[in-house]
């Protein structure tokens, strides 16, 4: 049990160690590191003093060179600034590793939100049986996506892992060597990764972290809550998007999908092989030794060569393991039974699939594809669709889509997107044959707007030989505010469609529905997006229950609050009884994977937090989780007021020009961190609808103006202050966990804002008034959130989180200054009659390079 306060533990185990190891890094015997390490603290001081004295980034950089360099040339200045960038990137890595190493010290691994805590609460309230029964059905699904918010190449991730372990063990010699390695290892990716590369990078986490941490959590539940009882429910599932997510990614092919599925299977078999080799060294007894040897041989052959055909069916493999277990109990006094149980649990959890590969495509692509299918078949004189199909009403189209069935020959279609889409559907059957049904059994339709969008997908499966026996969940993804509002009526049409209802019956009367935070926030602002999702979940729960369907919500949550991130477990614990909660499903990506699930301790802790949030909501729910009619009216009014303010802001004539010319938006595409294009269309002109949520949110983050996480919040709160009704909000905040969580996450966005960085923009002839508009909303939001919460400073109740943010922001202050300096230099050069294009390219590279450290330091900023 930790006795000292959490903040003290953080300061001792993180802050102090960072100062010590950073000083070691500064004195490494490499010329570039030593010189940079001496000059960087001086530059940092100049930045701090400069912003305090209202200087702009150009003045700050020039002041530094005048004070500490003897008449340097432009080339020397640029070279030193690049060295600062490289050095700061590595400081961020060092801090990440130290914070990861200190995770189990800073966080109470048996405290609030852990399974041990849930078990103790259940005992105190005589709810042990309730807890046991709940866990027989409740599930958490963590879905890893390849969305590009992770700027560390694999080599650097490996150094972080090794450095974390060395710091945990206080191995100074190894720490010194790893810091030296870090100083010499490049961070920049010269080529974009392929979707397969992205999959390989994320499979590292499956193999090295999730494989161990999930089985440990499951083992605890089985031993300490279920009292050794074996249940069908896996409790924790893994999902996987790289290689299957086609939405806006033209580089995902059917072959890549099949290759990723094959790699997932080979990886889990390799993990089983390693484990069974350890078991073989222990289980040297009569009656079990030969069985273990046979299984070891089978796993080795099939993990090395995916085409090997000696793999037992999964149920037969499990039977053999249970036979070995039974023999240990009856003949060998249960010797090494715990190790055997752990292996059985892993096979139960991960099967031959490891993680379920989700397929995703945009409804607009589907609709175009489907229209092409209909037109082509009509030309071929097929009678599957009537001649006037494309002109029919929605209800008539739904009737036809419900009944069509065939096994189309793909060679009849000339359109490439048609063959790509249909071949991906056919590939699912191949994956299921090789990896089991869980290998790929979900098809997600992003930007889903209508019942026809779902039924077109349904029909495409039946046209690909599934013959109304679709072993796949069709998952609509509702994203925009309008789509979320209409979601319940869309599902009502599907639930009353006989063919679709029969499909759901074959899928255990469960319907998974995905809800997207990212595009909702981009579309409607922070409060409206979150409230729209809450209301959509309530309405979807109601309509699903009325039709006897168990709805499962899958949240497209990013890292930052603006994309549904922040304190995720608090969000789930706050939802209340009007929202179905038998499963928690969410996406995690980029730094959210490495920060929340990058180490065994962090992964175990955060998985337990998610499990406990569902348990808490179901078993220990209190009045603060119930939204009263009055609460809902206030929340609705706040959302509408916020929406109006955000919409006016978004429609401001300077909104897109400001992002395009004053932010780092266009530089995201040059970072080579993800396989997807940075916007949806190839148009040169910037269009708001084409903007992806990650570059959109990330660009505001680089400006330190985290607009998507707070804009409209201040305006909404001010309405109540102006009307003399602020006490109503205080009561709502005090009594509602949902509202408290929303405000708490918005505080995080405000905490990571630093308007002094871009204060110079307030004097810009074109954009000055627009900058002032943003700053005014920031000040209003900050002032009224503090007034609402009764805090003296933002994140006052989360002192460790605030301390971590402060250190990280402090580390990258020089980096932010360099980025803004480079942007200003580009703007200055572009105004010249004959600009130096080579010099512009150098500064553009400087802006791009500075993205890396800033994003990595924020951990959940994009």
């Amino acid at each position: 049990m930790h006795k000292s306060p959490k903040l003290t533990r953080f300061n001792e185990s993180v802050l102090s160690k960072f100062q010590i190891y950073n000083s070691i890094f500064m004195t490494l015997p490499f010329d570039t590191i030593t010189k940079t390490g001496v000059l960087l603290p001086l530059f940092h001081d100049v930045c701090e003093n400069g912003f305090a004295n209202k200087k702009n980034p150009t003045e700050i950089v020039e002041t530094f060179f005048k004070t500490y360099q003897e008449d340097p040339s432009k080339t020397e200045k640029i070279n030193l600034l690049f060295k600062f960038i490289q050095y700061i990137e590595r400081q961020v890595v060092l801090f990440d590793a130290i914070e990861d190493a200190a995770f189990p010290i800073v966080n109470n691994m048996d405290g609030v939100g852990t399974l041990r805590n849930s078990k103790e609460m259940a005992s105190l309230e005589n709810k042990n049986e309730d807890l046991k029964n709940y866990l027989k059905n409740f599930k958490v699904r963590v879905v890893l996506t390849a969305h590009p918010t992770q700027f560390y190449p694999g080599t650097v991730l490996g150094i972080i892992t090794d450095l974390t372990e060395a710091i945990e063990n206080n191995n100074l010699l190894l720490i010194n060597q790893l810091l030296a390695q870090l100083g010499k290892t490049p961070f920049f990716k010269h080529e974009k990764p392929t979707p397969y590369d992205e999959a390989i990078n994320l499979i590292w986490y499956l193999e090295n972290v999730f494989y161990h941490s999930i089985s440990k959590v499951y083992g605890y539940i089985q031993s300490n809550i279920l009292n050794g009882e074996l249940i069908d429910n896996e409790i924790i599932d893994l999902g996987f998007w790289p290689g299957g997510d086609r939405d806006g990614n033209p580089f995902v092919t059917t072959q890549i999908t099949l290759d990723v599925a094959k790699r997932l299977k080979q990886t889990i078999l390799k993990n089983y092989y390693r484990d069974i080799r350890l078991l073989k060294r222990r289980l040297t007894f009569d009656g079990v030794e030969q069985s273990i040897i046979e299984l070891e041989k089978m796993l080795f052959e099939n993990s090395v060569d995916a085409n090997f055909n000696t793999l037992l069916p999964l149920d037969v493999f499990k039977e053999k393991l249970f036979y070995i277990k039974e023999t240990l109990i009856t003949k060998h006094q249960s010797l090494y039974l715990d190790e055997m149980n752990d292996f059985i649990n892993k096979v139960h959890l991960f099967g031959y699939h490891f993680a379920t590969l989700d397929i995703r495509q945009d409804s607009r692509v589907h609709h175009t594809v489907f229209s092409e299918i209909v037109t082509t078949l009509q030309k071929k004189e097929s009678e599957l669709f009537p001649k006037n199909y494309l002109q029919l009403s929605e209800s008539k189209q739904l009737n036809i889509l419900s009944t069509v069935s065939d096994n189309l020959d793909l060679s009849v279609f000339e359109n490439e997107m048609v063959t790509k889409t249909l071949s991906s559907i056919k590939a699912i059957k191949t994956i299921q044959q090789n990896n089991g049904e869980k290998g790929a059994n979900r098809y997600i339709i992003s930007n889903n707007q209508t019942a026809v969008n779902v039924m077109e997908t349904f029909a495409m499966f039946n046209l690909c030989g599934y013959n109304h026996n679709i072993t796949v969940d069709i998952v609509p993804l509702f994203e925009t505010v309008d789509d979320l509002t209409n979601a319940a009526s869309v599902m009502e049409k599907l639930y009353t469609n006989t063919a679709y209802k029969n499909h759901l019956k074959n899928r255990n009367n469960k319907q998974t529905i995905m809800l997207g935070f990212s595009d909702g926030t981009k579309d409607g602002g922070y409060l409206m997006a979150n409230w729209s999702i809450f209301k959509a979940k309530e309405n979807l729960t109601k309509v699903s229950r009325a039709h006897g369907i168990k709805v499962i919500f899958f949240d497209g949550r990013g890292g930052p609050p603006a994309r549904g991130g922040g304190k995720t477990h608090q969000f789930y614990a706050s939802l209340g009884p009007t929202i179905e909660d038998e499963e928690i499903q969410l996406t995690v990506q980029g730094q959210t994977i490495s920060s929340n699930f990058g180490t065994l301790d962090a992964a175990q802790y955060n998985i337990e937090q998610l499990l406990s949030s569902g348990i808490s909501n179901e078993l220990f729910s209190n009045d603060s989780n119930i939204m009263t009619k009055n609460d809902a009216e206030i929340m609705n009014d706040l959302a509408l007021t916020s929406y109006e303010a955000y919409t006016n802001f978004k429609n401001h004539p300077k909104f897109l020009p400001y992002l395009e010319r004053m932010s780092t938006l266009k530089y995201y595409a040059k970072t080579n961190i993800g396989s997807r294009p940075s916007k949806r269309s190839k148009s040169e002109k910037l269009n708001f609808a084409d903007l992806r949520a990650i570059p959109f949110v990330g660009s505001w983050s680089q400006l330190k103006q985290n607009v998507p996480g707070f804009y409209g919040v201040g305006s909404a709160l001010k309405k109540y202050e102006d009307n003399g009704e602020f006490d109503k909000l205080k009561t709502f905040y005090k009594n509602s966990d949902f509202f408290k969580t929303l405000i708490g996450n918005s505080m995080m966005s405000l905490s990571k804002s630093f308007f002094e960085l871009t204060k110079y923009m307030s004097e810009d002839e074109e954009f000055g008034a627009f900058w002032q508009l943003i700053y005014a909303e920031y000040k209003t939001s900050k002032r009224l959130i503090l007034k609402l919460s009764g805090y003296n400073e933002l994140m006052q109740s989360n002192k460790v989180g605030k301390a971590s943010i402060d250190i990280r922001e402090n580390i990258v202050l020089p980096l932010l200054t360099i980025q803004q300096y480079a942007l200003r230099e580009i703007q200055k050069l572009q105004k010249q009659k004959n600009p130096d294009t080579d010099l512009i390219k150098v500064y553009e590279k400087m802006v791009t390079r500075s993205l890396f450290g800033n994003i990595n330091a924020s951990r959940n900023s994009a």
Side-chain angles (χ1 to χ4, degrees):
M1 184 61 68
H2 301 296
K3 291 181 181 177
S4 55
K6 191 173 182 179
L7 184 60
T8 304
R9 301 197 303 270
F10 177 84
N11 288 335
E12 289 172 353
S13 300
V14 179
L15 179 56
S16 298
K17 282 193 175 182
F18 175 68
Q19 290 166 344
I20 293 166
Y21 294 135
N22 190 40
S23 65
I24 294 173
F25 188 44
M26 280 182 173
T27 56
L28 284 173
F30 299 120
D31 184 53
T32 54
I33 293 177
T34 308
K35 287 182 179 176
T36 310
V38 170
L39 290 170
L40 183 57
L42 301 174
F43 181 52
H44 188 283
D45 288 344
V46 172
C47 292
E48 272 193 334
N49 294 330
F51 288 123
N53 292 309
K54 297 184 169 44
K55 287 186 177 179
N56 67 48
T58 306
E59 291 169 332
I60 289 169
V61 171
E62 293 302 335
T63 299
F64 168 74
F65 283 116
K66 279 178 191 170
T67 309
Y68 295 105
Q69 298 277 283
E70 206 172 309
D71 197 24
S73 67
K74 186 169 280 295
T75 302
E76 287 171 331
K77 287 180 183 179
I78 287 169
N79 286 342
L80 183 59
L81 291 176
F82 271 113
K83 284 175 185 174
F84 282 162
I85 290 170
Q86 292 165 344
Y87 190 96
I88 293 164
E89 284 173 343
R90 287 152 178 81
Q91 282 184 309
V92 173
V93 170
L94 177 59
F95 188 78
D96 279 351
I98 291 167
E99 199 166 40
D100 287 345
F103 191 92
I105 300 167
V106 174
N107 297 280
N108 186 350
M109 300 296 284
D110 294 320
V112 174
T114 64
L115 285 170
R116 180 171 176 174
N117 179 252
S118 295
K119 181 178 179 291
E120 288 171 355
M121 284 180 69
S123 295
L124 284 171
E125 296 186 23
N126 293 319
K127 290 185 175 179
N128 285 333
E129 280 303 309
D130 293 340
L131 176 58
K132 193 187 292 186
N133 290 330
Y134 183 63
L135 285 170
K136 287 178 181 178
N137 296 301
F138 178 59
K139 271 190 185 181
V140 163
R141 181 187 290 250
V142 176
V143 181
L144 308 187
T145 81
H147 289 359
T149 65
Q150 176 57 268
F151 285 70
Y152 291 138
T155 49
V156 175
L157 285 172
I159 294 171
I160 293 175
T161 302
D162 294 341
L163 195 52
T164 300
E165 189 177 337
I167 290 166
E168 282 175 349
N169 298 325
N170 288 315
N171 187 338
L172 289 175
L173 178 63
L174 183 56
I175 290 167
N176 210 41
Q177 289 175 328
L178 288 166
L179 289 175
Q181 182 187 350
L182 190 61
K184 288 176 166 286
T185 302
F187 277 46
F188 191 69
K189 297 176 182 178
H190 295 286
E191 293 180 0
K192 269 184 172 295
T194 66
Y196 187 73
D197 294 333
E198 289 172 330
I200 297 301
N201 288 339
L202 286 187
I203 286 172
W204 184 92
Y205 288 99
L206 295 182
E207 183 174 13
N208 293 284
V209 181
F210 287 100
Y211 180 73
H212 305 285
S213 56
I214 287 177
S215 67
K216 188 174 180 182
V217 172
Y218 184 85
Y220 178 88
I221 291 170
Q222 189 184 67
S223 300
N224 296 282
I225 297 175
L226 300 174
N227 301 321
E229 184 183 343
L230 296 175
I231 59 171
D232 290 335
N233 185 21
E234 295 87 3
I235 302 178
I236 308 154
D237 275 341
L238 287 171
F240 203 75
W241 276 18
D245 183 8
R246 285 163 166 69
D247 181 11
N249 194 337
F251 308 113
V252 177
T253 64
T254 302
Q255 191 56 52
I256 282 178
T257 302
L258 292 168
D259 287 345
V260 169
K262 186 187 290 184
R263 184 62 178 252
L264 285 165
K265 181 178 180 179
Q266 281 185 289
T267 305
I268 193 58
L269 293 180
K270 280 177 184 173
N271 277 29
Y272 291 161
Y273 171 67
R274 281 196 290 265
D275 275 3
I276 209 154
R277 284 193 70 193
L278 293 173
L279 278 172
K280 183 180 149 189
R281 291 178 64 182
R282 299 286 176 263
L283 305 184
T284 53
F285 322 134
D286 185 43
V288 296
E289 185 181 22
Q290 190 56 39
S291 296
I292 289 285
I293 290 170
E294 288 169 6
L295 293 178
E296 179 199 22
K297 182 174 182 287
M298 176 197 79
L299 290 169
F300 175 74
E301 288 170 344
N302 290 275
S303 64
V304 172
D305 184 354
N307 297 317
F308 227 90
N309 270 335
T310 61
L311 197 63
L312 293 170
L314 186 61
D315 56 343
V316 178
F317 181 30
K318 286 181 178 179
E319 280 175 20
K320 286 190 175 290
L321 295 178
F322 280 115
Y323 167 77
I324 294 168
K325 176 183 173 178
E326 189 61 29
T327 306
L328 290 179
I329 294 169
T330 57
K331 294 184 178 178
H332 302 292
Q333 294 76 49
S334 298
L335 199 56
Y336 298 120
L337 184 62
D338 288 346
E339 288 83 350
M340 192 65 212
N341 276 334
D342 181 57
F343 187 65
I344 289 171
N345 286 343
K346 284 170 178 169
V347 176
H348 174 59
L349 289 163
F350 306 118
Y352 287 153
H353 64 286
F354 210 165
T356 299
L357 185 61
D358 288 347
I359 310 296
R360 184 173 77 131
Q361 183 55 282
D362 191 291
S363 68
R364 292 163 292 195
V365 173
H366 269 182
H367 187 66
T368 304
V369 162
F370 203 81
S371 299
E372 187 71 27
I373 290 170
V374 171
T375 307
T376 302
L377 290 175
Q378 287 171 342
K379 284 177 185 172
K380 302 282 182 187
E381 298 186 350
S382 164
E383 295 182 0
L384 278 171
F385 295 93
K387 295 290 182 192
N388 64 340
Y389 170 80
L390 295 174
Q391 288 75 48
L392 293 175
S393 65
E394 181 187 50
S395 60
K396 287 182 178 176
Q397 283 189 350
L398 287 174
N399 286 337
I400 294 166
L401 292 170
S402 303
T403 57
V404 291
S405 185
D406 204 337
N407 194 358
L408 296 175
D409 176 3
L410 302 194
S411 65
V412 305
F413 300 103
E414 295 176 5
N415 184 292
E416 186 185 17
M417 188 53 77
V418 172
T419 54
K420 275 185 172 181
T421 304
L422 295 181
S423 65
S424 72
I425 289 173
K426 285 179 177 279
I428 292 175
K429 193 169 275 191
T430 304
I431 294 169
Q432 289 188 348
Q433 286 166 354
N434 293 331
N435 295 18
E437 191 197 292
K438 287 184 180 176
N441 64 358
R442 307 191 337 157
Y443 198 108
I444 299 158
I445 311 153
S446 52
N447 191 48
N448 197 96
Q449 298 175 339
T450 66
V452 167
N453 292 152
V454 175
M455 292 305 291
E456 282 176 342
T457 309
F458 178 83
M460 279 194 277
F461 272 92
N462 287 319
L463 289 170
C464 285
Y466 282 79
N467 194 26
H468 291 274
N469 182 26
I470 304 173
T471 52
V472 175
D473 295 327
I474 298 171
V475 182
L477 164 52
F478 300 103
E479 301 183 72
T480 67
V481 171
D482 285 345
D483 291 346
L484 288 163
T485 303
N486 297 329
S489 62
V490 168
M491 296 314 298
E492 175 78 37
K493 286 176 185 171
L494 293 169
Y495 291 155
T496 51
N497 179 288
T498 305
Y500 194 77
K501 193 80 185 274
N502 286 336
H503 164 65
L504 289 181
K505 192 175 178 184
N506 293 333
R507 305 300 294 163
N508 298 317
N509 282 320
K510 288 184 176 182
Q511 170 68 56
T512 303
I513 297 173
M514 190 173 179
L515 304 163
F517 285 79
S518 302
D519 284 304
T521 304
K522 183 181 142 239
D523 179 52
Y526 178 73
L527 284 183
M528 179 55 93
N530 280 277
W531 180 234
S532 296
I533 285 169
F534 185 95
K535 286 195 299 180
K537 283 185 175 180
E538 282 198 322
N539 293 334
L540 288 164
T541 298
K542 192 174 178 182
V543 71
S544 300
R545 285 174 177 171
H547 287 276
I549 303 298
K550 178 74 73 173
V551 66
I552 294 159
F553 295 117
F554 175 24
D555 291 316
R557 299 175 69 83
R563 298 184 57 239
K567 292 291 183 184
T568 295
H569 60 277
Q570 289 179 5
F571 168 82
Y572 284 114
S574 72
L575 292 179
T578 55
I579 291 173
E580 201 72 74
D581 63 349
E582 192 170 276
E583 291 193 29
I584 287 175
Q585 299 191 3
L586 72 162
T587 57
V588 290
Q589 61 217 32
Q591 309 97 313
T592 314
I593 298 172
S594 55
S595 61
N596 289 1
F597 303 97
T599 66
L600 294 173
D601 288 321
Q604 180 188 334
Y605 182 83
N606 283 296
I607 289 165
E608 287 195 25
Q609 292 285 319
L610 286 170
L611 285 165
S612 295
S613 66
I615 292 166
S616 169
N617 199 11
E618 183 68 24
L619 266 63
F620 313 122
S621 190
N622 53 48
D623 291 344
S624 58
N625 288 356
I626 298 169
M627 186 81 70
T628 66
K629 188 181 177 186
N630 187 50
D631 290 341
E633 285 172 0
I634 294 173
M635 191 65 234
N636 201 54
D637 185 50
L638 287 168
L640 287 169
T641 308
S642 169
Y643 183 54
E644 184 181 359
Y646 179 78
T647 303
N648 290 338
F649 172 66
K650 193 175 69 174
N651 293 334
H652 194 288
K654 296 299 176 190
F655 182 86
L656 283 177
Y658 182 81
L659 266 181
E660 196 166 22
R661 285 157 52 198
M662 304 302 277
S663 83
T664 59
L665 181 68
K666 64 184 176 186
Y667 298 95
Y668 263 78
K670 299 176 182 181
T671 56
N672 291 331
I673 56 162
S675 66
R676 288 203 310 177
S678 60
K679 59 191 182 92
R680 286 186 170 90
S681 80
K682 293 179 181 177
S683 166
E684 287 296 315
K685 189 168 184 266
L686 184 62
N687 183 298
F688 185 76
D690 289 336
L691 264 180
R692 294 196 187 282
I694 288 168
F696 175 72
V697 173
S699 297
W700 289 111
S701 170
Q702 294 282 323
L703 283 168
K704 290 298 158 188
Q705 302 172 5
N706 291 304
V707 161
F710 71 78
Y711 203 97
V713 176
S715 297
L717 299 179
K718 192 171 185 298
K719 176 183 174 182
Y720 281 76
E721 184 183 55
D722 291 346
N723 293 343
E725 296 181 310
F726 204 77
D727 282 346
K728 273 188 183 178
L729 292 186
K730 282 190 168 183
T731 303
F732 181 33
Y733 178 81
K734 183 183 173 185
N735 295 333
S736 169
D737 284 349
F738 175 74
F739 186 44
K740 202 175 289 176
T741 302
L742 276 192
I743 295 297
N745 284 340
S746 191
M747 274 193 211
M748 191 184 292
S749 293
L750 292 165
S751 295
K752 293 183 180 181
S753 296
F754 181 63
F755 278 82
E756 288 84 346
L757 178 71
T758 54
K759 181 81 167 64
Y760 71 88
M761 293 182 188
S762 64
E763 297 165 11
D764 187 89
E765 193 175 325
E766 183 177 356
F767 295 109
F770 188 73
W771 186 93
Q772 291 285 6
L773 183 71
I774 301 168
Y775 186 47
E777 183 67 15
Y778 162 80
K779 287 194 296 184
T780 303
S781 298
K782 181 178 176 180
R783 177 178 69 81
L784 292 177
I785 279 179
L786 289 174
K787 181 177 177 179
L788 179 66
S789 61
Y791 293 169
N792 296 317
E793 61 175 20
L794 294 171
M795 295 180 70
Q796 189 173 308
S797 64
N798 182 10
K799 292 186 185 297
V800 168
K802 179 74 164 62
S804 178
I805 288 171
D806 289 346
I807 296 168
R808 289 172 177 278
E809 296 296 313
N810 190 48
I811 292 169
V812 296
L813 182 64
L815 199 56
L816 293 162
T817 310
I818 292 167
Q819 186 182 84
Q820 286 299 317
Y821 166 76
L823 284 168
R824 284 170 61 86
E825 289 298 303
I826 292 165
Q827 290 162 6
K828 191 166 71 177
L829 285 164
Q830 286 173 337
K831 287 175 184 173
Q832 293 175 1
K833 213 170 197 179
N834 296 304
D836 184 337
T837 53
D838 289 339
L839 191 55
I840 287 174
K841 284 177 184 174
V842 170
Y843 283 122
E844 285 183 333
K845 185 182 177 185
M846 192 177 285
V847 173
T848 305
R849 292 292 285 110
S850 61
L851 287 168
F852 289 59
N854 287 331
I855 286 288
N856 289 333
S858 294
R859 279 205 159 179
N860 66 356
S861 62

